[in-house]
Amino acid sequence: AQKITQTQPGMFVQEKEAVTLDCTYDTSDPSYGLFWYKQPSSGEMIFLIYQGSYDQQNATEGRYSLNFQKARKSANLVISASQLGDSAMYFCAMREGFSGGSNYKLTFGKGTLLTVNP
Amino acid sequence: ETGVTQTPRHLVMGMTNKKSLKCEQHLGHNAMYWYKQSAKKPLELMFVYSLEERVENNSVPSRFSPECPNSSHLFLHLHTLQPEDSALYLCASSQVGFDTFYEQYFGPGTRLTVT
């Protein structure tokens, strides 16, 4: 079973509108962290936002917010007021546990290609 | 230089060549990572170095050989590669801690083509 599922291969949004990118995850570990990264066509992965499994509130970073629904195991990224520069691939990733070799491992989803239209 | 840098940005090599990819981080982190990103596949973790010791090797073929001489530098030595090894190779760094999760910061990647 996939640990990170991003069901939207591609999304389109009009400039200045909000968009939600879906991410569901699978883990039996009570301690985990969820990350979103942006990858423009240049290739660099840019860290956007983090949500810990024990965090009571949804994470926010500027125009990015994370809609964390723990019981549903979903961690959707919301981008408000989309800009043309937001056009990129977006990856959801998870890190499980605090000990052992998997402590370091980020498991990535397949990504969602977001296109912002003017 | 700031963040994580990688050289070269693009590399074309034949199957019999030997080459090395270089990564340098300027963030004071104590862990470094190599990832492979192939078309239409999720990012795959290859190697992890924490405090200059290799702590993870994700069943990577021996034609890929990592080296971490210090906490700021990471190399990936390549020899007798196959065409299916063509991909974007990303280096990342992070702090590692045993009671919290730290984000990884990525370099711009090396686009490798094996002919």
Side-chain angles (χ1 to χ4, degrees):
Chain A
Q2 289 185 52
K3 288 212 176 246
I4 296 286
T5 302
Q6 294 181 253
T7 57
Q8 307 152 315
M11 287 283 286
F12 293 88
V13 66
Q14 286 299 121
E15 195 177 7
K16 300 180 185 177
E17 291 186 352
V19 63
T20 298
L21 306 183
D22 294 341
C23 173
T24 57
Y25 59 92
D26 181 26
T27 182
S28 57
D29 198 315
S31 300
Y32 54 90
L34 297 157
F35 302 80
W36 276 92
Y37 284 85
K38 170 185 177 182
Q39 188 178 38
S41 55
S42 58
E44 184 174 354
M45 298 280 280
I46 302 166
F47 167 71
L48 296 178
I49 196 167
Y50 162 77
Q51 179 84 44
S53 60
Y54 295 119
D55 293 344
Q56 295 296 312
Q57 293 190 324
N58 287 344
T60 60
E61 287 287 347
R63 294 186 299 110
Y64 304 109
S65 61
L66 205 151
N67 183 1
F68 182 46
Q69 298 187 44
K70 195 169 181 177
R72 294 186 176 184
K73 293 189 175 179
S74 76
N76 298 339
L77 177 70
V78 180
I79 305 174
S80 62
S82 298
Q83 302 172 356
L84 295 178
D86 293 334
S87 294
M89 281 291 288
Y90 288 81
F91 293 93
C92 179
M94 177 174 64
R95 185 178 158 197
E96 299 169 275
F98 285 127
S99 61
S102 64
N103 188 26
Y104 305 96
K105 184 175 181 177
L106 271 182
T107 302
F108 285 80
K110 292 185 177 181
T112 295
L113 179 61
L114 177 66
T115 302
V116 181
N117 294 318
Chain B
E1 293 276 18
T2 58
V4 181
T5 58
Q6 289 186 244
T7 55
R9 293 293 309 275
H10 300 272
L11 178 63
V12 179
M13 59 186 288
M15 289 191 283
T16 58
N17 291 157
K18 289 185 181 181
K19 296 285 184 184
S20 295
L21 309 185
K22 180 183 175 183
C23 175
E24 185 173 358
Q25 60 98 0
H26 309 269
L27 300 167
H29 290 159
N30 55 11
M32 297 186 77
Y33 311 77
W34 279 118
Y35 287 88
K36 176 183 178 183
Q37 187 177 30
S38 307
K40 300 183 180 178
K41 278 187 169 183
L43 221 64
E44 301 170 69
L45 178 66
M46 299 175 74
F47 302 104
V48 181
Y49 276 83
S50 175
L51 300 172
E52 299 155 42
E53 284 191 38
R54 191 190 311 180
V55 295
E56 186 146 343
N57 176 347
N58 251 15
S59 303
V60 179
S62 59
R63 57 185 183 269
F64 295 92
S65 174
E67 178 190 1
C68 186
N70 56 61
S71 60
S72 299
H73 293 86
L74 184 66
F75 295 90
L76 187 62
H77 303 299
L78 317 170
H79 63 98
T80 58
L81 294 191
Q82 304 297 311
E84 60 265 29
D85 298 323
S86 298
L88 181 68
Y89 288 85
L90 290 161
C91 173
S93 72
S94 76
Q95 278 297 108
V96 288
F98 295 97
D99 60 352
T100 190
F101 295 114
Y102 294 99
E103 62 271 21
Q104 294 179 15
Y105 290 87
F106 285 78
T110 295
R111 176 72 62 187
L112 174 67
T113 303
V114 181
T115 60

